[in-house]
Structure formats: C-alpha cells, structure tokens
Amino acid sequence: MTDTAPAQAVSSEELLHYYREMLLIRRFEEKAGQLYGMGLIGGFCHLYIGQEAVVVGVQAALNEGDTVITSYRDHGHMLACGMDAKGVMAELTGRRGGYSKGKGGSMHMFSREKNFYGGHGIVGGQVPLGTGLAFAHKYLNDGGVSAVYCGDGAINQGQVYESFNMAALWKLPVLFVIENNKYAMGTSQERASAGELHQRGAAYGIPGYQVNGMDVLEVKAAADQWVKHIRDGNGPVILEMKTYRYRGHSMSDPAKYRTKEEVEKMRSESDPIDQLKSKLLAGGHADEDKLKEIDRAVKAIVTESAEFAQQSPEPDPSELWTDILVET
C-alpha cells in the first residue's frame, strides 16, 4: 500500500505511550458523545473514534516547534498535541474554562502554547492556513514543519490545490495528511473522488504515499521518514492515511449510507487500539494488568474532564466583545 519505510523496532515505553494516547482519545470521545446525548454539548460534534492511530502516529514524528492545524474533527488532535483534556471538554460544553473561553465550541479551539492552530469549520479552509504556517517556518528559518490534516471530502476543494501549488513552488516544509475515512460527510470516496487521493499533488511534483492509517506503527514509520525528508529542505509531501470512522460524520448523522456489518468488520479486524494491544501482549511489552491500569488512569482523566466542564461557569456576556481585534 505504501512506498514508505517499514516500521522500525519500537521500545516498550514508546508502544505503551501510543497505546495510552489512542486510548485517551477513544475514551474522551466516548464521553463527549455521552455529554452530547445529555444535551450538555450543543451545536456540531464530530467524533474521532476509529481514526486514533493517524494523529498519534504523526504527532510522534513531530518536534516541539512544529505546528499543527486540522478540520472540525479535531478533539483527538488537541489531545495528541498535549492539550489538557479538562480545557478541551470545557470548551465542548461552552464553559469559561475551555481553551477558547467557551466561545469556540467543538470546531474552533486553539492553543498557541501547543502550536495547535485549530479546529476549522470550513471544509478545506485549514489547508491554505497550514500552508501559511509552513511559509512562516521557512521565512523564520526555525527548522519547523507544518502538519496539515484534512479529510477525503476536503481534498476536492479548490483552495487545496492552490495551496499545493504554492507549497511546491516555494518548497515549503509542510506535511499534508489526508485522513481518508472513506465517506467524507456521507458520500463514499468511490462516488465522489476520481483517482487516487495520494496522487493529487502529482501535477505540482509533490510526492504522495498511501499508509495503513489503522496501524499506529505504520503511521509513525511513514511520518518519521517523510517529516525528515521535509525538514531536510525537500518541500512538501502528501500522506494519504487509509482509515475509518466508526460513528457518523457528526453526532446528528445516523450513517445509513453504510451497513452495520461493514462497521463491525472494521472494528473486529482493524481496530487500531486492539491491534496495538495484541502486539503489546504478544511481544511481552505489557501484561493484562498493566493495560487495565492504563485504562483506569485514562478513564480517571476523562471523568475529571467531564466534571470540570460541568462545574466551570458559562462565559460572561461581556466576552462577546473580547478577542475580536488585536490590540497593538
């Protein structure tokens, strides 16, 4: 499926870190779904359940000074960037303790401290912004790389190709990550997209590769190889992550465009967390007790985040007038 390097030997510590990070995203998203069902989260809410290996594997290949930007299916990316689960959940519930002070909600969170630039509700709108972040890295000569995530639906947007052109023309340090979960908002890729998505940059000379996005080790190996390629001054690369979301496009989507049997088959045969769990146990990296301990710790973090979110006050009405203009 890929021309990227094979997965390298990984330490037990790294494997357990990937397992914990993916499990944190999974449990957090499950809790977010519960709170949405209780009416505590309003507006749109797009869950990342099933796609955890993509962001955990890519983020593991990035450095502290690198930047990250993504679409509105963004909670997993925030957690993988090291953002506090309490602040993320508080923002989901529109509370003052959230990363955007309760004013951004699910789709619009930022953390300058963690170099996370959103969370964007316009399909494909983050791609030119992420390309701009790459331009900043090159202009400042800081050695940074911009990781720009988008979905298989966004890849058909015109602004994406304007970004590809500029990134290739100026050899910008940008990794374009296509999270291909097969259905965009609800139309299968086969019905909506001609050709192979990883080849969409060919007209601009941008190399592109397919990666098994359900295996965190394959994602990490591919990201390691091509982030280094980018950081060495060779310009942009496209990685198409073949992944799958278990839930609908958003919480309001019943996902009737696919069968329950298809979803169950993916869950039983390709789940990224279960696959890594099997590798941990088979390789003697951890036993069942250790994995249960990690699960308990993760559940405690998620429970604390939900409690914090519900106890945090709503924003004062005066916040409607803040963060609008930059004071100089």
Side-chain angles (χ1 to χ4, degrees):
M1 180 180 290
T2 174
D3 294 325
T4 59
Q8 303 297 311
V10 183
S11 69
S12 298
E13 183 180 358
E14 288 175 292
L15 290 172
L16 288 169
H17 173 72
Y18 303 154
Y19 181 78
R20 181 193 176 280
E21 291 293 289
M22 289 196 294
L23 195 60
L24 174 60
I25 294 171
R26 177 72 58 89
R27 297 289 181 250
F28 183 94
E29 294 290 67
E30 289 170 346
K31 178 60 73 173
Q34 292 175 7
L35 295 182
Y36 189 94
M38 296 166 61
L40 295 174
I41 295 176
F44 293 101
C45 185
H46 306 80
L47 302 182
Y48 200 63
I49 296 173
Q51 299 182 212
E52 297 91 350
V54 175
V55 72
V56 171
V58 172
Q59 292 306 122
L62 298 180
N63 292 342
E64 186 175 341
D66 297 334
T67 51
V68 175
I69 193 167
T70 188
S71 67
Y72 40 75
R73 196 180 307 280
D74 52 5
H75 315 152
H77 301 73
M78 299 171 195
L79 297 173
C81 285
M83 292 169 66
D84 189 345
K86 295 194 296 293
V88 178
M89 194 69 85
E91 188 60 39
L92 290 179
T93 55
R95 303 305 179 96
R96 196 179 302 174
Y99 269 97
S100 296
K101 304 177 185 177
K103 299 186 291 184
S106 174
M107 299 193 289
H108 302 100
M109 276 184 254
F110 298 80
S111 174
R112 181 64 185 85
E113 178 189 4
K114 300 297 182 181
N115 283 331
F116 179 78
Y117 288 86
H120 292 270
I122 302 299
V123 175
Q126 75 278 13
V127 178
L129 296 175
T131 305
L133 290 170
F135 178 82
H137 284 306
K138 184 161 187 173
Y139 184 82
L140 297 171
N141 194 29
D142 61 11
V145 169
S146 173
V148 181
Y149 296 84
C150 70
D152 51 293
I155 199 64
N156 293 320
Q157 293 288 317
Q159 58 196 322
V160 173
Y161 299 96
E162 296 178 46
S163 301
F164 285 174
N165 181 60
M166 294 177 70
L169 189 65
W170 296 336
K171 296 185 74 171
L172 299 182
V174 53
L175 178 67
F176 295 108
V177 181
I178 305 170
E179 300 198 59
N180 182 1
N181 62 29
K182 296 182 66 174
Y183 288 102
M185 285 185 68
T187 303
S188 68
Q189 180 202 332
E190 289 79 8
R191 294 179 58 213
S193 298
E196 297 286 354
L197 303 189
H198 66 283
Q199 296 175 351
R200 292 294 183 89
Y204 313 98
I206 302 177
Y209 305 94
Q210 280 186 339
V211 182
N212 177 8
M214 301 300 277
D215 187 322
V216 70
L217 298 184
E218 291 191 34
V219 174
K220 172 63 162 53
D224 275 340
Q225 178 181 354
W226 295 110
V227 166
K228 181 181 185 305
H229 174 89
I230 294 166
R231 210 182 298 279
D232 287 344
N234 297 302
V237 171
I238 296 171
L239 292 182
E240 178 193 355
M241 301 293 176
K242 302 285 280 187
T243 186
Y244 196 83
R245 56 172 167 79
Y246 297 160
R247 302 290 185 92
H249 171 69
S250 69
M251 286 296 295
S252 60
D253 172 20
K256 293 181 179 180
Y257 40 81
R258 60 186 182 182
T259 65
K260 293 181 179 179
E261 290 75 18
E262 177 185 308
V263 178
E264 185 52 41
K265 180 178 174 64
M266 289 296 296
R267 276 185 176 272
S268 62
E269 297 180 2
S270 303
D271 185 82
I273 297 175
D274 288 346
Q275 286 190 79
L276 186 55
K277 180 178 180 179
S278 296
K279 290 175 182 176
L280 284 165
L281 295 173
H285 302 285
D287 56 21
E288 288 282 1
D289 289 340
K290 176 63 175 178
L291 299 184
K292 288 178 181 177
E293 177 187 334
I294 293 173
D295 196 17
R296 285 193 296 270
V298 163
K299 286 179 178 176
I301 292 171
V302 172
T303 297
E304 183 184 17
S305 73
E307 292 173 350
F308 174 82
Q310 293 176 75
Q311 294 168 3
S312 182
E314 294 186 354
D316 188 272
S318 63
E319 283 290 345
L320 288 169
W321 311 107
T322 63
D323 303 315
I324 298 172
L325 302 174
V326 176
E327 295 184 7
T328 61

